[in-house]
Structure formats: structure tokens, C-alpha cells
Amino acid sequence: DALDFFKNLSNDTKANVLLVGTEKCRDIRFFDPQIERRFRYEKFMPTFKNSEEFRSILKAIEKNLVLQKASYIYQDPLANRIWNLTHGVLGEVIVLVRESAIKALTDRTERITMEHINNKDNKISRLKNKHIFEVCNGYQEETERSYNSSIA
């Protein structure tokens, strides 16, 4: 069980363990009282709605790219596509933009295009839009079933 792994890791190494995830994952720790005690402090990185704030973040990311030409990833249709693939999870946005920029450098276009964002080799594209939210929800449902069957 994944939760037991974290308990054992902390016990065996005597090191501090930090769990990182989205807000939807936070409730899985309540299924184990020891995990709940050990991981009681929480700080969440927000996910961004497809909004002006999200586009401002994309604009800031683009400013730091080493590409010779402007990509305008903060404008439609690129901004919408990036949001649809990442659901506003900042880590996924950065991975997608970084991989797309590498493709733009490799093919010498020097700007990110929709083709780069949709590239089937991108890590985000390989997930086929199955986001961490769905993974956490599935894990939470499985843990609830295990817990309910153990007390039945």
C-alpha cells in the first residue's frame, strides 16, 4: 500500500518526508491515522482556471524562453490548448511548454506552434488528458473500498 510505503520510508530513513499533490489528493491521508498525524501540515499550489490570470502566467513563462521568435502562448488558440491539456496545473504547464520549446529549437522554427503543443511525444500528451485528479480520485475510491471492506 502506498501509504504504508511513506510510513516505512519515514521510519527507516529517519528523514522528513514531504508529500506533494493537488488538493483533491489531500483526503487520502485521512484513511490512515498514522499518516494523518505525520502529515498534518498542508500547503496547496493552486490550479488555475482558464482565465486572464492563467494567461498572465503563460506570458511570464514565455518571456523566459530562449526562442528567437514570439510564440504568443498566452493567446488563443495556444492558451486554450495548453489549459485543456494541463487543466491549469502549473507543473504540467511548465513541462508542456518546456518540451514544446525544445521541439521549436530542434526544428529551428524558434517559436512554439500548435504542432509542438500537440506533439504525441510530449509527456503531457502521452497522459492522454488523464490528470493527477483522476489518478487521485481513483486511488481515493480504491482506498475507501479497502477501508470499508476491512471494517465490514
Side-chain angles (χ1 to χ4, degrees), residues 7 21 39 77-78 84 87-89 100 108 125-126 130 134 152:
K7 286 190 292 191
F39 300 101
L78 296 178
N84 286 330
H87 291 264
V89 176
S100 298
R108 299 178 191 261
S125 296
R126 287 195 308 260
K130 183 173 181 119
E134 296 167 9

Side-chain angles (χ1 to χ4, degrees), residues 99-125:
E99 289 186 353
S100 298
I102 291 168
K103 297 280 186 217
L105 289 168
T106 304
D107 70 13
R108 299 178 191 261
T109 56
E110 291 291 336
R111 69 181 186 86
I112 295 172
T113 65
M114 188 66 77
E115 183 179 76
H116 297 124
I117 291 170
N118 288 330
N119 188 301
K120 65 179 176 49
D121 294 328
N122 285 337
K123 288 179 185 172
I124 302 302
S125 296

Side-chain angles (χ1 to χ4, degrees), residues 21-131:
T22 62
E23 191 169 359
K24 288 195 175 204
C25 292
R26 93 172 152 195
D27 293 339
I28 64 171
R29 67 191 165 107
F30 296 125
F31 292 106
D32 185 314
Q34 286 183 20
I35 292 291
E36 184 178 3
R37 280 192 306 274
R38 293 176 191 208
F39 300 101
R40 62 181 168 240
Y41 303 106
E42 56 187 48
K43 176 74 177 156
F44 291 99
M45 183 72 176
T47 57
F48 295 93
K49 293 183 170 114
N50 192 353
S51 64
E52 286 307 310
E53 181 181 27
F54 180 69
R55 291 160 194 276
S56 294
I57 290 166
L58 290 176
K59 192 171 190 174
I61 291 170
E62 183 172 334
K63 277 177 132 176
N64 290 292
L65 296 176
V66 296
L67 300 173
Q68 297 297 312
K69 298 176 185 172
S71 301
Y72 303 104
I73 62 172
Y74 52 91
Q75 295 178 357
D76 289 333
L78 296 178
N80 276 333
R81 185 61 180 151
I82 292 168
W83 192 89
N84 286 330
L85 286 169
T86 65
H87 291 264
V89 176
L90 188 58
E92 291 185 11
V93 170
I94 291 170
V95 167
L96 180 59
V97 172
R98 180 182 56 221
E99 289 186 353
S100 298
I102 291 168
K103 297 280 186 217
L105 289 168
T106 304
D107 70 13
R108 299 178 191 261
T109 56
E110 291 291 336
R111 69 181 186 86
I112 295 172
T113 65
M114 188 66 77
E115 183 179 76
H116 297 124
I117 291 170
N118 288 330
N119 188 301
K120 65 179 176 49
D121 294 328
N122 285 337
K123 288 179 185 172
I124 302 302
S125 296
R126 287 195 308 260
L127 292 174
K128 297 191 183 346
N129 291 325
K130 183 173 181 119
H131 285 92

